[in-house]
Amino acid sequence: MLSRLVFGLGAVLAGLATLAQAECTREGLLAAANSYLAAQTSGKTDGLALSATNFTYQQNNKKADIKTGLLSQALTIDLNRTAADTVECASYTMFISSTGSKPYVAATQIRHADGDTATIAMIDTVVATTGDLFFNAKQTLSYVQKENWGALDEAQRANRTELKRVGDAYLDMWTDAKAADSIPWGTDCERVEGSMLTKPCGGALPHGGSAKTNGNRRYVIDEVAGSVDVLCSFDSLGPWPDSHEIRLEGGKVKYVHTVTVMT
């Protein structure tokens, strides 16, 4: 009898755990990302619902103190965009701040534990500024603000597996001679690396040559937006903290954005 009760209790708890994980919603992820943007605008982190027991702040691939990191600076944000990953309960936010005394382009993943979007477990950000790879915030802004990253019709969406495959293949181009040819490039694709624009995307690509894999990959995949963002260490050329974000429309690459820190 006791064993049956224990088994029954375990099943109930497992069901509750599954239910809690399922509570991670797109709306909750976007709300948390908006609170992050509000904190960056004010330079104050008081309004962030950070986990009291298990919070990590990481900036440019290193653990740091949130009180002295980029969030301690009040910035004017010219443009921002957020993707939501309800499977991993994470979001990706890109913002451009080009008008202050020091310009920035930031690529930030926010993660939540146990499906609880009301509490932030990790803020993981790659922050580029003057001196970083092809950095010119105003030029980047002029390209990005013309793009359309709105929700795709279901027929135009790639599935999660394909989005991750393309993100990985892109980062593998520096070590795998065949990776570039495995990517479904769109004929009208635009690639913005820092502030360097390449059209179409499929031109002037690496085909192996490095022995060092781009590692430490962290993913946010949003099927609704057709996007995958990968934060990583760009070890093939660096090691440099890096973000690569890719959008697929109708199965073809439409946009590629990179943020790479060299300083």
Side-chain angles (χ1 to χ4, degrees):
M1 177 65 72
L2 180 59
S3 62
R4 290 181 181 179
L5 288 173
V6 171
F7 178 81
L9 179 59
V12 171
L13 292 175
L16 289 174
T18 301
L19 180 61
Q21 185 65 37
E23 289 175 354
C24 182
T25 65
R26 188 174 190 86
E27 293 75 17
L29 291 169
L30 296 177
N34 285 337
S35 73
Y36 159 76
L37 290 167
Q40 189 65 81
T41 301
S42 67
K44 299 178 181 179
T45 60
D46 299 351
L48 291 173
L50 307 178
S51 171
T53 58
N54 188 30
F55 172 72
T56 301
Y57 178 73
Q58 183 163 282
Q59 184 168 310
N60 292 340
N61 290 352
K62 295 180 180 179
K63 289 184 179 180
D65 185 349
I66 194 171
K67 295 179 181 179
T68 57
L70 185 66
L71 278 165
S72 66
Q73 301 180 42
L75 301 180
T76 298
I77 296 177
D78 303 303
L79 179 146
N80 71 84
R81 182 183 66 253
T82 295
D85 184 339
T86 55
V87 174
E88 290 297 321
C89 207
S91 63
Y92 168 73
T93 297
M94 181 279 298
F95 76 74
I96 300 171
S97 176
S98 67
T99 55
S101 58
K102 190 172 185 178
Y104 294 100
V105 177
T108 302
Q109 294 182 359
I110 298 175
R111 299 191 177 275
H112 306 267
D114 302 322
D116 180 14
T117 58
T119 304
I120 296 172
M122 184 175 194
I123 296 177
D124 186 0
T125 187
V126 170
V127 184
T129 189
T130 303
D132 288 321
L133 186 65
F134 307 133
F135 185 86
N136 182 323
K138 289 185 181 296
Q139 188 67 61
T140 302
L141 178 63
S142 72
Y143 297 139
V144 175
Q145 64 188 1
K146 297 174 184 177
E147 299 173 350
N148 178 10
W149 285 74
L152 294 172
D153 293 336
E154 288 194 22
Q156 293 293 306
R157 298 175 187 176
N159 63 39
R160 185 178 186 85
T161 300
E162 175 66 358
L163 288 167
K164 183 177 184 297
R165 186 196 70 80
V166 172
D168 280 332
Y170 197 101
L171 289 172
D172 290 343
M173 289 192 298
W174 284 261
T175 53
D176 183 347
K178 298 180 180 180
D181 295 333
S182 75
I183 297 172
W185 305 106
T187 56
D188 59 347
C189 175
E190 298 182 3
R191 186 170 88 232
V192 180
E193 298 168 293
S195 61
M196 185 175 71
L197 176 65
T198 301
K199 294 192 298 185
C201 284
L205 298 169
H207 287 80
S210 175
K212 295 182 178 180
T213 301
N214 296 318
N216 190 22
R217 300 181 188 184
R218 295 93 75 195
Y219 304 85
V220 169
I221 298 172
D222 185 343
E223 294 174 77
V224 174
S227 69
V228 54
D229 175 71
V230 190
L231 298 186
C232 70
S233 177
F234 208 83
D235 297 315
S236 293
L237 301 176
W240 297 331
D242 176 86
S243 169
H244 271 67
E245 182 189 20
I246 301 170
R247 173 170 162 112
L248 271 66
E249 296 181 1
K252 302 291 185 179
V253 176
K254 175 65 175 178
Y255 300 122
V256 177
H257 287 171
T258 75
V259 180
T260 307
V261 176
M262 299 174 64
T263 54

